[in-house]
Amino acid sequence: GIKAMTTNVGVILKDVLDMKIEELPGGVPQPEADQVCLSMGPVGICGSDVHYWQCGRIGDFIVKDPMVLGHESAGTVCAVGSDVKHLKVGDRVAVEPGYPCHTCSACLGGRYNLCPDMKFCATPPIDGSLCQFYCHKAAFCFKLPDHVSLDEGALLEPLSVAVHACERGKLSFGQKVLVCGAGPIGLVNMMVAKAGGATVTITDISESRLAKAKEMGADATFHVTSRDSRETADDIVKVSGFSDLTIECTGVEASIGAGLWATKPGGSYVQVGYGKAEVNFPIVAVGIREIDIYGIFRYANCYPKALALVASGAVDVKGLITHRFPLKDALQAFELTKAGTGVKVIIDCDK
Ligand code: NAD
């Protein structure tokens, strides 16, 4: 059919700093029994894609063999495996990029994001979805209602990180939430917190990112200029008061300290940002204030909730997209993301 005549071009990381846009070795893949093959649409670039390209590793995940990049994606079903019941050719789906083993204690306990055998797109050695045709477990493909776009489907990935962060932090109505960092992850956390009835103050060192946050609904923005975390926190508190819940989305030491110092006694603090592996932070203040600190690793069972938030109109993620490129110009898209220009950069695999 049509597929047999089509090539499968993708963005493949051959080695550190060596990214190529070329025909993938396997050509157009055939779905296994529990998979669907997708004709890929938009794929967002994540900081981790850029990091693998620039450094070849994130922590213990090391790129040893060529790997297709990309994991924030949506596409249209073009072939269905024999066991797949809930999807058919032509369905538009969002791709939850990681599938776990379903048998370990983490999986059985519902926290499948902690599965040691997780297979996650564009986390080595697993190929990502930044290509024209891509096969994925059907159970991890979520059918989009007609009024939800493929762009929104792709953005369910970062949105799910925020759903998970807000749930871990026990977000509740009327809370004051402080989001540290106004990158894509800070912005989705802001949006989910707002949808959950919170008032949100968001910080950044970049005025343009704060302007974007304001445009996307921040109740207050705070421009961080000091490297002293206590001083930053005092200034934040002067403007917004102490936060019930702080969601740290930079991983930067000074921001971690500021976020903790700005959290009220009895409040919660969620560490979403990943920076240096070890940092100094005010642990005595955490003790004296009985602050609950939560770690976050991606998400589990969050795609349906993220989709519901978008489908109902409770969050509008479309505004995150500032740039888009056809697949052939993917390198430009990566350069732009690396430079920190804009917010979310999309590559259209069908263009
Ligand atoms: P990003 O780099 O685009 O955004 C980070 C923002 O923090 C930038 O706008 C930067 O200007 C700002 N910043 C830097 N120093 C600051 C300071 N001292 N105070 C306030 N703001 C400061 O990154 P992103 O894509 O938005 O991701 C944010 C973080 O979330 C990254 O560390 C990433 O690794 C992490 N992340 C974690 C998970 C998870 O599962 N826990 C998932 C996705 C991303």
Side-chain angles (χ1 to χ4, degrees):
I2 300 166
K3 268 184 54 200
M5 304 173 60
T6 322
T7 56
N8 188 17
V9 173
V11 177
I12 184 160
L13 185 62
K14 300 248 159 155
D15 206 338
V16 190
L17 299 172
D18 182 13
M19 189 168 71
K20 291 271 162 27
I21 302 155
E22 62 183 34
E23 173 71 19
L24 299 182
V28 177
Q30 291 297 320
E32 290 168 21
D34 61 350
Q35 290 185 329
V36 287
C37 184
L38 303 173
S39 169
M40 296 306 295
V43 181
I45 302 179
C46 168
S48 68
D49 294 311
V50 175
H51 204 86
Y52 282 123
W53 170 40
Q54 290 297 305
C55 306
R57 67 183 295 163
I58 294 179
D60 291 338
F61 294 108
I62 302 166
V63 181
K64 293 178 180 141
D65 296 307
M67 177 179 84
V68 180
L69 292 168
H71 64 267
E72 299 180 0
S73 59
T76 306
V77 175
C78 61
V80 179
S82 53
D83 292 348
V84 176
K85 303 272 187 293
H86 76 291
L87 293 173
K88 59 179 191 313
V89 171
D91 283 347
R92 297 150 60 255
V93 299
V95 179
E96 177 173 347
Y99 45 89
C101 78
H102 292 299
T103 54
C104 71
S105 61
C107 284
L108 295 181
R111 297 178 74 173
Y112 65 79
N113 55 324
L114 305 180
C115 173
D117 291 324
M118 175 64 94
K119 307 251 186 308
F120 198 93
C121 289
T123 293
I126 306 299
D127 280 329
S129 53
L130 185 39
C131 53
Q132 293 175 296
F133 295 97
Y134 170 74
C135 286
H136 199 71
K137 297 272 186 214
F140 287 78
C141 293
F142 294 87
K143 186 174 170 173
L144 301 173
D146 289 344
H147 71 287
V148 175
S149 66
L150 285 173
D151 281 352
E152 291 171 307
L155 292 169
L156 295 187
E157 204 283 337
L159 191 62
S160 293
V161 173
V163 168
H164 187 55
C166 288
E167 287 197 323
R168 292 266 293 153
K170 302 187 176 67
L171 173 77
S172 62
F173 304 121
Q175 280 190 324
K176 254 189 241 176
V177 171
L178 173 65
V179 174
C180 303
I185 293 293
L187 292 175
V188 285
N189 274 283
M190 174 189 88
M191 288 189 282
V192 174
K194 295 262 320 166
T199 304
V200 179
T201 299
I202 188 162
T203 74
D204 210 290
I205 53 174
S206 151
E207 305 231 42
S208 65
R209 289 225 149 157
L210 290 176
K212 184 76 182 175
K214 194 78 199 168
E215 177 195 316
M216 297 197 71
D219 296 290
T221 57
F222 183 88
H223 186 212
V224 175
T225 49
S226 168
R227 283 173 180 277
D228 184 299
S229 59
R230 189 79 194 258
E231 189 178 297
T232 301
D234 288 348
D235 289 342
I236 292 170
V237 170
K238 265 182 225 149
V239 180
S240 302
F242 285 100
S243 60
D244 299 292
L245 169 63
T246 297
I247 307 176
E248 207 294 320
C249 303
T250 76
V252 172
E253 184 166 304
S255 176
I256 293 168
L260 286 166
W261 282 118
T263 305
K264 77 168 194 192
S268 299
Y269 172 98
V270 181
Q271 187 61 46
V272 181
Y274 292 156
K276 274 197 299 179
E278 296 188 24
V279 297
N280 289 309
F281 71 96
I283 194 159
V284 173
V286 168
I288 289 170
R289 295 184 186 185
E290 293 198 350
I291 293 171
D292 294 325
I293 299 184
Y294 296 93
I296 294 296
F297 187 50
R298 300 170 180 154
Y299 37 74
N301 305 304
C302 292
Y303 258 68
K305 293 173 189 176
L307 176 53
L309 284 171
V310 170
S312 70
V315 304
D316 184 358
V317 282
K318 293 189 296 290
L320 289 168
I321 301 173
T322 51
H323 299 80
R324 62 192 318 141
F325 294 86
L327 184 57
K328 68 174 173 51
D329 296 331
L331 198 57
Q332 236 177 302
F334 272 81
E335 290 287 358
L336 199 103
T337 309
K338 188 183 116 193
T341 313
V343 179
K344 186 51 75 183
V345 180
I346 295 279
I347 296 170
D348 289 306
C349 292
D350 50 0
K351 296 215 170 74

